[in-house]
Amino acid sequence: MVRISNITLTLDEAVTKEKELTSLHKFISFTYRISRSDILSFQIFKKAVDARRENIRFVYNVDIGLKNEKEFLRRNLKNVMATPDLAYKEVESGKAIPKGRIVIVGFGPSGIFAAYILARRGYKPLVLERGLDVDKRTGLWNDFQTNRTFNENGSILFGEGGAGTFSDGKLTTLVNDLRSRVVLETLVKAGADPEVLYINKPHIGTDELIKVIKNIRKEIIALGGEIRFGAKVTDLITDGKNL
């Protein structure tokens, strides 16, 4: 793959997704003298807004597959490089078999992905969350906004998805960390707009985020995991051997 960076389009050139892709193909073909038939694959890696000038523009980094990539790279063209390997390398699993089920406390972002990764590896984790599932949370939150009826189990601060469930789902933490890519890919697989993979400072939106969280939960359960809502952890009982 070859990465071409700093491609700029006007608002008119990117007014729709179809026109955006057409404009990008046209720019690359003209600027770098590449036939459309030589482009085997095409993917937007990053898209940002440049509002520093009077005429607002979009700036792109695009990954393309070519019939003869080595020859193209040897031309040493400006803003062209071999696409870096950004694939997330998962941590190698341990060999020991747990004596009991792995327990995760909390089903916010960290708890969700901890459970998801463990479930994918066949560990069948048990999640304990003091709050409620996202549908019940939504009902209680709407009731609070309308009638000011407070339910301590329906707090906006905890429950499925954590405190961020009722935000607009901005995904701005560690955006340059390799691990963020696999998180974004998981969200897209669960129903988020594929645009979050490349848009600068992406966000899903509250309504879509709720659907995505539910889909991830369903997959965890399908893989043998269990999520218990309304399960408040108040203490830990240990035998003193593993502290």
Side-chain angles (χ1 to χ4, degrees):
M1 295 285 283
V2 173
R3 176 162 298 168
I4 301 176
S5 58
N6 295 321
I7 300 172
T8 60
L9 297 181
T10 65
L11 288 174
D12 182 61
E13 290 172 323
V15 66
T16 65
K17 286 189 177 182
E18 183 178 355
K19 193 168 184 180
E20 177 183 62
L21 292 175
T22 300
S23 298
L24 287 170
H25 272 286
K26 184 177 179 181
F27 178 93
I28 291 171
S29 296
F30 177 80
T31 304
Y32 297 99
R33 298 181 181 180
I34 305 172
S35 170
R36 286 288 296 269
S37 61
D38 288 333
I39 300 176
L40 305 177
S41 61
F42 184 97
Q43 181 179 3
I44 299 174
F45 175 75
K46 189 174 182 180
K47 176 183 177 181
V49 177
D50 182 358
R52 295 173 297 176
R53 308 167 190 169
E54 183 177 347
N55 297 320
I56 298 174
R57 294 175 177 268
F58 293 109
V59 183
Y60 301 82
N61 290 355
V62 174
D63 290 334
I64 60 174
L66 297 170
K67 289 182 178 179
N68 195 339
E69 292 178 2
K70 291 183 179 179
E71 179 60 32
F72 183 73
L73 290 169
R74 272 199 289 267
R75 289 162 60 186
N76 199 26
L77 299 166
K78 185 179 180 182
N79 296 326
V80 172
M81 63 183 291
T83 301
D85 180 10
L86 297 179
Y88 173 62
K89 309 300 188 296
E90 291 196 5
V91 177
E92 185 178 348
S93 295
K95 307 287 184 190
I97 300 175
K99 292 181 180 179
R101 297 180 74 179
I102 297 174
V103 178
I104 298 167
V105 179
F107 204 54
S110 296
I112 288 172
F113 277 91
Y116 177 73
I117 291 171
L118 287 168
R120 283 185 58 195
R121 295 188 179 189
Y123 286 105
K124 298 179 173 58
L126 169 62
V127 180
L128 303 177
E129 166 59 58
R130 70 165 295 187
L132 303 173
D133 66 75
V134 72
D135 288 327
K136 291 178 182 175
R137 286 188 73 190
T138 301
L140 290 173
W141 174 239
N142 290 338
D143 186 43
F144 175 75
Q145 288 184 302
T146 303
N147 304 313
R148 287 296 186 256
T149 303
F150 177 71
N151 185 315
E152 66 174 13
N153 294 317
S155 170
I156 197 172
L157 298 177
F158 53 80
E160 185 173 24
T165 299
F166 298 106
S167 71
D168 58 0
K170 282 189 174 67
L171 306 169
T172 58
T173 303
L174 299 175
V175 289
N176 294 318
D177 191 298
L178 290 180
R179 292 167 294 185
S180 70
R181 183 74 182 182
V182 73
V183 171
L184 295 176
E185 289 171 350
T186 300
L187 295 173
V188 169
K189 181 182 175 183
D193 191 322
E195 192 177 69
V196 303
L197 289 172
Y198 60 82
I199 200 77
N200 189 42
K201 295 186 183 298
H203 67 276
I204 298 176
T206 301
D207 293 341
E208 293 304 311
L209 182 62
I210 288 173
K211 298 175 187 175
V212 168
I213 290 171
K214 288 166 65 175
N215 287 336
I216 295 176
R217 184 226 303 167
K218 290 176 183 177
E219 184 168 357
I220 293 170
I221 294 172
L223 292 169
E226 181 183 355
I227 296 98
R228 295 183 187 175
F229 295 108
K232 183 178 180 180
V233 175
T234 60
D235 201 359
L236 297 175
I237 300 175
T238 68
D239 58 11
K241 295 179 181 180
N242 300 313
L243 296 179

